[in-house]
């Protein structure tokens, strides 16, 4: 699975620029139109944020996805080229969160080996969406000098959240530009 995740994550082993990484063949700075039709992009758009400066398109279990069960791609609202500012790949764990944590450790080990010059941070916390405090987030982030980042995240949702919201424990690998990350932090602060 580690090679599966990493091969889906990067295109070059000694890359220094976030644009050198990819998920499902899509890189930061790509036009989403090079990978999907405008009809597919618009049909799969979802609204996760009140501020719609950035838009999200989510592709669920497409046959053409090789390494992930779902991908989310973010681009600016009025950009007719749908230039990619963030992309995330997701895999889901229905039976045992330990499998997610194991896959996370393996992916982290491989990324740490390949990209020794990036600053690495990690955290474990309760997810703020779950007021009971029973849902947790385990995160590892690799920071580029310009504050763009690669994140490996395991979401462990409580039984209550899974039943109420139908959210499933998952591993997310994300490639995010500094511009999108700053917008996301500001957007979350407002909510």
């Amino acid at each position: 699975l580690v090679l599966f995740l990493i091969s889906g994550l990067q295109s070059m082993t000694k890359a220094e620029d976030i644009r050198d990484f990819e998920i499902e063949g899509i890189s930061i700075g790509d036009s989403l139109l090079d990978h999907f039709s405008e009809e597919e992009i618009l049909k799969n758009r979802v609204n996760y944020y009140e501020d719609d400066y950035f838009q999200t398109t989510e592709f669920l279990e497409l046959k053409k996805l090789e390494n992930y069960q779902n991908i989310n791609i973010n681009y600016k609202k009025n950009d007719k080229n749908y230039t990619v500012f963030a992309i995330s790949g997701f895999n889901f764990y229905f039976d045992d969160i330990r499998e997610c944590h194991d896959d996370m450790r393996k992916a982290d080990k491989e990324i740490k080996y390949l990209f020794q010059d990036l600053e690495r941070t990690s955290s474990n916390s309760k997810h703020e969406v779950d007021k009971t405090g029973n849902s947790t987030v385990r995160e590892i982030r690799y920071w580029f000098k310009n504050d763009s980042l690669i994140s490996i995240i395991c979401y462990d949702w409580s039984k209550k959240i899974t039943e109420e919201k139908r959210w499933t424990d998952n591993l997310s690998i994300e490639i995010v530009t500094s511009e999108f990350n700053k917008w996301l932090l500001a957007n979350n602060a407002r909510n």
Side-chain angles (χ1 to χ4, degrees):
L1 180 61
V2 171
L3 292 175
F4 165 78
L5 291 173
I6 299 303
S7 67
L9 175 65
Q10 70 182 53
S11 60
M12 302 171 61
T13 58
K14 296 296 179 187
E16 295 291 327
D17 188 312
I18 197 162
R19 293 172 296 188
D20 294 329
F21 298 96
E22 61 183 35
I23 288 179
E24 296 292 347
I26 304 168
S27 298
I28 296 296
D30 282 3
S31 169
L32 200 49
L33 294 170
D34 292 338
H35 304 278
F36 300 96
S37 71
E38 186 168 26
E39 181 181 335
E40 289 174 303
I41 294 167
L42 296 175
K43 181 176 103 178
N44 290 289
R45 189 179 334 197
V46 293
N47 185 14
Y48 288 129
Y49 311 106
E50 270 187 48
D51 177 352
D52 65 352
Y53 181 74
F54 279 100
Q55 303 281 298
T56 304
T57 291
E58 181 175 69
F59 294 102
L60 309 171
E61 300 182 7
L62 290 179
K63 289 181 183 179
K64 69 193 264 183
L65 296 181
E66 295 178 12
N67 299 309
Y68 297 93
Q69 294 165 327
N70 293 5
I71 59 171
N72 285 0
I73 301 143
N74 299 91
Y75 46 86
K76 290 182 179 175
K77 178 180 181 178
N78 295 318
D79 178 4
K80 295 298 179 191
N81 289 320
Y82 301 95
T83 304
V84 176
F85 278 79
I87 182 168
S88 305
F90 296 89
N91 285 324
F92 298 92
Y93 299 83
F94 297 96
D95 296 326
D96 189 354
I97 191 64
R98 290 177 294 190
E99 186 180 352
C100 182
H101 294 157
D102 288 345
D103 291 343
M104 179 186 208
R105 279 189 290 277
K106 292 172 187 172
D108 177 44
K109 184 177 178 182
E110 190 70 20
I111 292 172
K112 191 185 313 183
Y113 173 77
L114 293 171
F115 310 107
Q116 298 172 9
D117 293 339
L118 297 181
E119 178 187 352
R120 179 188 179 277
T121 60
S122 64
S123 65
N124 295 313
S125 60
K126 297 189 183 303
H127 200 291
E128 68 273 0
V129 168
D130 185 351
K131 302 305 179 200
T132 68
N134 293 323
S135 297
T136 60
V137 181
R138 189 175 287 188
E139 300 175 271
I140 300 170
R141 297 182 187 269
Y142 286 87
W143 295 90
F144 289 81
K145 290 182 173 115
N146 69 354
D147 287 334
S148 297
L149 66 125
I150 297 172
S151 298
I152 311 164
I153 307 169
C154 274
Y155 295 93
D156 183 6
W157 299 111
S158 69
K159 184 176 181 180
K160 179 179 181 186
I161 291 289
T162 298
E163 289 171 358
E164 287 177 3
K165 298 185 181 278
R166 303 180 54 84
W167 293 351
T168 303
D169 296 347
N170 66 84
L171 174 69
S172 169
I173 296 186
E174 304 171 353
I175 305 170
V176 179
T177 63
S178 59
E179 182 178 353
F180 180 78
N181 192 42
K182 287 174 189 171
W183 173 84
L184 187 61
L185 290 171
N187 193 45
N188 287 342
R190 285 189 295 267
N191 295 332

